[in-house]
mmCIF file of all heavy atoms in Angstrom:
data_model
loop_
_atom_site.group_PDB
_atom_site.id
_atom_site.type_symbol
_atom_site.label_atom_id
_atom_site.label_comp_id
_atom_site.label_asym_id
_atom_site.label_seq_id
_atom_site.Cartn_x
_atom_site.Cartn_y
_atom_site.Cartn_z
ATOM 1 N N ASN G 328 4.559 -0.314 8.313
ATOM 2 C CA ASN G 328 4.254 1.100 8.626
ATOM 3 C C ASN G 328 5.554 1.795 8.501
ATOM 4 O O ASN G 328 6.549 1.526 9.143
ATOM 5 C CB ASN G 328 3.705 1.150 10.105
ATOM 6 C CG ASN G 328 3.448 2.518 10.527
ATOM 7 O OD1 ASN G 328 4.361 3.358 10.827
ATOM 8 N ND2 ASN G 328 2.218 2.900 10.598
ATOM 9 N N ILE G 329 5.583 2.865 7.688
ATOM 10 C CA ILE G 329 6.816 3.589 7.372
ATOM 11 C C ILE G 329 7.404 4.267 8.581
ATOM 12 O O ILE G 329 8.647 4.123 8.886
ATOM 13 C CB ILE G 329 6.523 4.567 6.238
ATOM 14 C CG1 ILE G 329 6.106 3.828 4.994
ATOM 15 C CG2 ILE G 329 7.822 5.425 5.986
ATOM 16 C CD1 ILE G 329 5.666 4.770 3.826
ATOM 17 N N ASP G 330 6.573 4.963 9.372
ATOM 18 C CA ASP G 330 7.108 5.694 10.643
ATOM 19 C C ASP G 330 7.730 4.752 11.575
ATOM 20 O O ASP G 330 8.750 5.038 12.172
ATOM 21 C CB ASP G 330 5.957 6.542 11.112
ATOM 22 C CG ASP G 330 5.709 7.755 10.181
ATOM 23 O OD1 ASP G 330 6.497 8.724 10.185
ATOM 24 O OD2 ASP G 330 4.645 7.667 9.645
ATOM 25 N N LYS G 331 7.048 3.603 11.816
ATOM 26 C CA LYS G 331 7.567 2.738 12.771
ATOM 27 C C LYS G 331 8.890 2.031 12.351
ATOM 28 O O LYS G 331 9.840 1.804 13.044
ATOM 29 C CB LYS G 331 6.603 1.566 13.051
ATOM 30 C CG LYS G 331 5.345 2.052 13.806
ATOM 31 C CD LYS G 331 4.340 0.994 13.980
ATOM 32 C CE LYS G 331 3.015 1.439 14.669
ATOM 33 N NZ LYS G 331 2.071 0.406 14.822
ATOM 34 N N THR G 332 8.996 1.833 10.993
ATOM 35 C CA THR G 332 10.208 1.197 10.373
ATOM 36 C C THR G 332 11.441 2.215 10.469
ATOM 37 O O THR G 332 12.566 1.906 10.837
ATOM 38 C CB THR G 332 9.953 0.838 8.948
ATOM 39 O OG1 THR G 332 8.997 -0.269 9.011
ATOM 40 C CG2 THR G 332 11.290 0.213 8.463
ATOM 41 N N LEU G 333 11.076 3.516 10.163
ATOM 42 C CA LEU G 333 12.190 4.567 10.303
ATOM 43 C C LEU G 333 12.598 4.649 11.761
ATOM 44 O O LEU G 333 13.768 4.875 12.048
ATOM 45 C CB LEU G 333 11.555 5.850 9.750
ATOM 46 C CG LEU G 333 11.367 5.950 8.293
ATOM 47 C CD1 LEU G 333 10.797 7.287 7.828
ATOM 48 C CD2 LEU G 333 12.687 5.669 7.524
ATOM 49 N N ALA G 334 11.606 4.607 12.779
ATOM 50 C CA ALA G 334 12.064 4.715 14.132
ATOM 51 C C ALA G 334 12.932 3.565 14.545
ATOM 52 O O ALA G 334 13.878 3.793 15.263
ATOM 53 C CB ALA G 334 10.776 4.734 14.937
ATOM 54 N N PHE G 335 12.682 2.410 14.058
ATOM 55 C CA PHE G 335 13.545 1.254 14.379
ATOM 56 C C PHE G 335 14.897 1.430 13.673
ATOM 57 O O PHE G 335 15.926 1.166 14.307
ATOM 58 C CB PHE G 335 12.866 -0.075 13.874
ATOM 59 C CG PHE G 335 13.776 -1.221 14.075
ATOM 60 C CD1 PHE G 335 14.031 -1.754 15.338
ATOM 61 C CD2 PHE G 335 14.208 -1.977 13.023
ATOM 62 C CE1 PHE G 335 14.773 -2.813 15.603
ATOM 63 C CE2 PHE G 335 15.126 -3.132 13.184
ATOM 64 C CZ PHE G 335 15.405 -3.512 14.509
ATOM 65 N N LEU G 336 14.988 1.861 12.475
ATOM 66 C CA LEU G 336 16.133 2.109 11.755
ATOM 67 C C LEU G 336 17.108 3.120 12.383
ATOM 68 O O LEU G 336 18.250 3.181 12.204
ATOM 69 C CB LEU G 336 15.874 2.471 10.271
ATOM 70 C CG LEU G 336 15.508 1.356 9.300
ATOM 71 C CD1 LEU G 336 14.958 1.842 8.035
ATOM 72 C CD2 LEU G 336 16.622 0.364 9.118
ATOM 73 N N ALA G 337 16.408 4.004 13.233
ATOM 74 C CA ALA G 337 17.157 5.080 13.867
ATOM 75 C C ALA G 337 18.070 4.607 15.018
ATOM 76 O O ALA G 337 18.756 5.383 15.598
ATOM 77 C CB ALA G 337 16.142 6.190 14.307
ATOM 78 N N THR G 338 17.859 3.256 15.444
ATOM 79 C CA THR G 338 18.602 2.775 16.525
ATOM 80 C C THR G 338 19.835 2.015 15.916
ATOM 81 O O THR G 338 19.701 1.353 14.876
ATOM 82 C CB THR G 338 17.738 1.761 17.331
ATOM 83 O OG1 THR G 338 17.261 0.691 16.561
ATOM 84 C CG2 THR G 338 16.504 2.481 17.861
ATOM 85 N N PRO G 339 20.923 2.040 16.690
ATOM 86 C CA PRO G 339 22.102 1.299 16.227
ATOM 87 C C PRO G 339 21.890 -0.153 15.934
ATOM 88 O O PRO G 339 21.162 -0.775 16.719
ATOM 89 C CB PRO G 339 23.143 1.550 17.328
ATOM 90 C CG PRO G 339 22.621 2.779 18.065
ATOM 91 C CD PRO G 339 21.133 2.651 17.900
ATOM 92 N N ASP G 340 22.591 -0.803 14.948
ATOM 93 C CA ASP G 340 22.653 -2.113 14.638
ATOM 94 C C ASP G 340 21.251 -2.746 14.203
ATOM 95 O O ASP G 340 21.036 -3.933 14.143
ATOM 96 C CB ASP G 340 23.075 -2.960 15.889
ATOM 97 C CG ASP G 340 24.493 -2.572 16.224
ATOM 98 O OD1 ASP G 340 25.230 -2.169 15.388
ATOM 99 O OD2 ASP G 340 24.807 -2.623 17.508
ATOM 100 N N SER G 341 20.186 -1.822 13.938
ATOM 101 C CA SER G 341 18.950 -2.365 13.560
ATOM 102 C C SER G 341 18.823 -2.769 12.155
ATOM 103 O O SER G 341 19.277 -2.181 11.220
ATOM 104 C CB SER G 341 17.960 -1.301 13.858
ATOM 105 O OG SER G 341 18.283 -0.015 13.037
ATOM 106 N N VAL G 342 18.214 -3.953 11.968
ATOM 107 C CA VAL G 342 18.014 -4.478 10.623
ATOM 108 C C VAL G 342 16.559 -5.083 10.532
ATOM 109 O O VAL G 342 16.281 -6.157 11.091
ATOM 110 C CB VAL G 342 19.005 -5.653 10.296
ATOM 111 C CG1 VAL G 342 18.724 -6.185 8.877
ATOM 112 C CG2 VAL G 342 20.376 -5.093 10.328
ATOM 113 N N PRO G 343 15.592 -4.312 9.959
ATOM 114 C CA PRO G 343 14.317 -4.905 9.708
ATOM 115 C C PRO G 343 14.369 -5.994 8.613
ATOM 116 O O PRO G 343 14.949 -5.770 7.645
ATOM 117 C CB PRO G 343 13.414 -3.748 9.312
ATOM 118 C CG PRO G 343 14.448 -2.684 8.745
ATOM 119 C CD PRO G 343 15.751 -2.973 9.385
ATOM 120 N N ALA G 344 13.532 -7.012 8.856
ATOM 121 C CA ALA G 344 13.644 -8.182 7.884
ATOM 122 C C ALA G 344 12.260 -8.775 7.860
ATOM 123 O O ALA G 344 11.348 -8.668 8.652
ATOM 124 C CB ALA G 344 14.614 -9.175 8.404
ATOM 125 N N PHE G 345 12.010 -9.569 6.689
ATOM 126 C CA PHE G 345 10.849 -10.316 6.576
ATOM 127 C C PHE G 345 11.162 -11.831 6.544
ATOM 128 O O PHE G 345 12.193 -12.251 5.974
ATOM 129 C CB PHE G 345 10.211 -9.987 5.090
ATOM 130 C CG PHE G 345 9.588 -8.658 4.962
ATOM 131 C CD1 PHE G 345 9.777 -8.006 3.698
ATOM 132 C CD2 PHE G 345 8.842 -8.103 5.991
ATOM 133 C CE1 PHE G 345 9.268 -6.742 3.525
ATOM 134 C CE2 PHE G 345 8.361 -6.848 5.730
ATOM 135 C CZ PHE G 345 8.486 -6.146 4.621
ATOM 136 N N LEU G 346 10.362 -12.585 7.263
ATOM 137 C CA LEU G 346 10.440 -14.004 7.047
ATOM 138 C C LEU G 346 9.356 -14.343 5.956
ATOM 139 O O LEU G 346 8.173 -14.336 6.300
ATOM 140 C CB LEU G 346 10.154 -14.803 8.357
ATOM 141 C CG LEU G 346 10.092 -16.404 8.151
ATOM 142 C CD1 LEU G 346 11.452 -16.907 7.826
ATOM 143 C CD2 LEU G 346 9.591 -17.056 9.435
ATOM 144 N N MET G 347 9.834 -14.552 4.731
ATOM 145 C CA MET G 347 8.910 -14.783 3.668
ATOM 146 C C MET G 347 8.515 -16.259 3.688
ATOM 147 O O MET G 347 9.369 -17.100 3.501
ATOM 148 C CB MET G 347 9.551 -14.385 2.366
ATOM 149 C CG MET G 347 10.078 -12.952 2.303
ATOM 150 S SD MET G 347 8.660 -11.756 2.331
ATOM 151 C CE MET G 347 7.769 -12.100 0.900
ATOM 152 N N VAL G 348 7.193 -16.509 3.762
ATOM 153 C CA VAL G 348 6.641 -17.821 3.781
ATOM 154 C C VAL G 348 5.871 -18.118 2.560
ATOM 155 O O VAL G 348 4.821 -17.489 2.307
ATOM 156 C CB VAL G 348 5.802 -18.039 5.050
ATOM 157 C CG1 VAL G 348 5.166 -19.497 4.979
ATOM 158 C CG2 VAL G 348 6.581 -17.803 6.319
#
Side-chain angles (χ1 to χ4, degrees):
N328 178 287
I329 296 170
D330 289 287
K331 291 177 183 178
T332 298
L333 291 176
F335 177 67
L336 284 167
T338 61
D340 300 327
S341 55
V342 178
F345 293 139
L346 179 66
M347 301 297 299
V348 179

